[in-house]
Amino acid sequence: MGIGIRVFNFEETCSPQIVINFTRQITVMLECGTPLAEALKILSHQPESEEFASAVEEISRSVGAGKELRDSFASYQHFFSPVYLAMLEIGVRTGRLGECLDHLAIWLERDVGLRRKLRLAMTYPCLILALSFALGVVLCCTVLPKFVEIFAALDCDLPWPTRILIFVMAVLKNPGFWLISLGLSWGAWGFCRDVWTDPKGKRQLTSWLLALPIVGRLMRHAALARFCHAASIGTAAGMDVVTTLRLGALASDNAVLDWHIDEAWRAVADGDTIHEALARHSEFFDQTLVGMLFAGEESARLAEVFEQAGEVYVCQLDSELSNFTKLAEPVLLMGVAAVVGSILLAVFLPLYSYLGEL
């Protein structure tokens, strides 16, 4: 099983919740003794997404014709992630497909919730910045030009804040500025896309992001939470240690963690324990996790320890997201106030100077 990067790759016609509901439903039907092909045929009626329903119907036909379950699902990887396919394969091998799907549904729900928390935490700052920029552009293109005409009629020396404002207005009203900005944005997007598709480039870019003061901690704890939860379901499903680590790296969606685990599982394959292998990568795996895994290996409760470690990182992430939101709000408000204050200062300074000379 190769290590990939993305965990979810849903198209717009299928939300993650549809896949979670499908996994829950098929788990219940298998536990009730319904044959797999029949359960898939019944669940092919998905009113929320016609494309997903068509995929499930085709999977049902493939399974009924004797094709391997993982191969049948693998034809629709835009719906079913590599983690999903790996759990299906383990379930078939161990004869515990229903149990594996149950663990998988729990993990999918947690992962969707984790992504939702991160998305919501980042939405507010981005929205404020976008609205502030839009407001500034509207002011510079509609209201403020009238004041520039007034300043020209006054024929007085303008203070430097006003000169800067006039220069900014001239730039924003110049079509060349927007064309250049569009070209640079397109070029930057293409460059980042190329870097992101290259494993080494993605790892380097992720390393830079992890080095950022606040964002880096959020990314690291999110990756560790998903790694631990995925390793937990892999261990509970009866996976061997090496496959469990690779599954966790696959689920983390973090190129740096993926690289560390790629080094660690080789050490485990050579005879090291998990905590010994991860301890050599202390720049990513902290001593707390290593200590918990040591206790889990000693007590033969590794799945439970992975689960608890994942919850610890989720709690840390929740706390950091809350602190980030609380910190971002006043900082953004101060920034907006500074921009608005600077515009007002640039507008009223020349008027005040002119009135003072009368």
Side-chain angles (χ1 to χ4, degrees), residues 217-239:
R217 286 180 60 84
L218 292 175
M219 289 181 60
R220 179 175 171 274
H221 286 160
L224 286 171
R226 292 158 66 187
F227 165 77
C228 290
H229 281 147
S232 172
I233 65 169
T235 306
M239 288 183 180

Side-chain angles (χ1 to χ4, degrees), residues 11 78 99 119 130 133-134 189 284 312 320 343 351 354:
E11 294 184 349
H78 52 290
E99 183 179 343
R119 193 160 47 243
F133 178 77
W189 169 256
F284 202 99
V312 168
E320 289 168 357
I343 293 175
L351 296 177
Y354 179 77

Side-chain angles (χ1 to χ4, degrees), residues 269-321:
D270 291 336
D272 285 355
T273 61
I274 295 178
H275 79 273
E276 289 174 341
L278 296 187
R280 296 192 180 94
H281 302 272
S282 56
E283 61 270 30
F284 202 99
F285 303 99
D286 53 53
Q287 190 60 40
T288 301
L289 176 60
V290 172
M292 293 179 69
L293 293 178
F294 170 75
E297 289 177 301
E298 290 292 315
S299 60
R301 298 168 59 189
L302 195 57
E304 183 178 342
V305 168
F306 267 126
E307 174 71 17
Q308 292 172 348
E311 292 302 318
V312 168
Y313 286 118
V314 169
C315 290
Q316 290 182 353
L317 185 64
D318 286 340
S319 176
E320 289 168 357
L321 286 174

Side-chain angles (χ1 to χ4, degrees), residues 29 43 64 73-74 97 113 121 131 134 136 138 174 179 189 194 224 328 348 350:
M29 298 181 74
L43 294 176
F73 276 78
L97 182 59
L131 289 176
V138 170
N174 189 340
L179 291 175
W189 169 256
D194 292 340
L224 286 171
F348 287 106

Side-chain angles (χ1 to χ4, degrees), residues 158-168 342-343 345-347 349-350:
L158 299 177
W160 63 266
T162 307
R163 295 178 182 177
I164 293 176
L165 179 62
I166 293 174
F167 173 76
V168 170
S342 299
I343 293 175
L345 186 67
V347 170
L349 268 180

Side-chain angles (χ1 to χ4, degrees), residues 96-300:
R96 301 160 61 187
L97 182 59
E99 183 179 343
C100 287
L101 287 173
D102 186 45
H103 289 307
L104 181 61
I106 294 172
W107 178 78
L108 289 172
E109 288 176 341
R110 287 173 174 165
D111 195 62
V112 169
L114 190 61
R115 289 172 178 267
R116 186 178 295 115
K117 290 177 182 178
L118 291 170
R119 193 160 47 243
L120 289 175
M122 298 301 174
T123 297
Y124 177 75
C126 293
L127 181 62
I128 293 298
L129 291 174
L131 289 176
S132 301
F133 178 77
L135 178 62
V137 172
V138 170
L139 288 175
C140 289
C141 295
T142 58
V143 178
L144 296 180
K146 301 295 183 181
F147 285 93
V148 173
E149 295 176 3
I150 295 174
F151 299 152
L154 294 178
D155 193 21
C156 61
D157 292 332
L158 299 177
W160 63 266
T162 307
R163 295 178 182 177
I164 293 176
L165 179 62
I166 293 174
F167 173 76
V168 170
M169 290 169 54
V171 169
L172 292 176
K173 293 176 67 175
N174 189 340
F177 166 77
W178 295 105
L179 291 175
I180 293 174
S181 299
L182 182 61
L184 291 176
S185 300
W186 185 261
W189 169 256
F191 174 77
C192 292
R193 182 188 56 195
D194 292 340
V195 170
W196 199 251
T197 54
D198 177 63
K200 292 183 178 179
K202 183 173 184 178
R203 188 170 71 243
Q204 184 61 56
L205 184 58
T206 305
S207 298
W208 292 340
L209 293 174
L210 288 171
L212 298 176
I214 298 177
V215 175
R217 286 180 60 84
L218 292 175
M219 289 181 60
R220 179 175 171 274
H221 286 160
L224 286 171
R226 292 158 66 187
F227 165 77
C228 290
H229 281 147
S232 172
I233 65 169
T235 306
M239 288 183 180
D240 60 88
V241 174
V242 171
T243 305
T244 295
L245 291 176
R246 290 160 66 98
L247 179 71
L250 177 67
S252 70
D253 200 15
N254 186 289
V256 174
L257 185 146
D258 188 29
W259 180 82
H260 284 300
I261 290 297
D262 190 55
E263 296 289 323
W265 75 257
R266 298 177 192 277
V268 172
D270 291 336
D272 285 355
T273 61
I274 295 178
H275 79 273
E276 289 174 341
L278 296 187
R280 296 192 180 94
H281 302 272
S282 56
E283 61 270 30
F284 202 99
F285 303 99
D286 53 53
Q287 190 60 40
T288 301
L289 176 60
V290 172
M292 293 179 69
L293 293 178
F294 170 75
E297 289 177 301
E298 290 292 315
S299 60

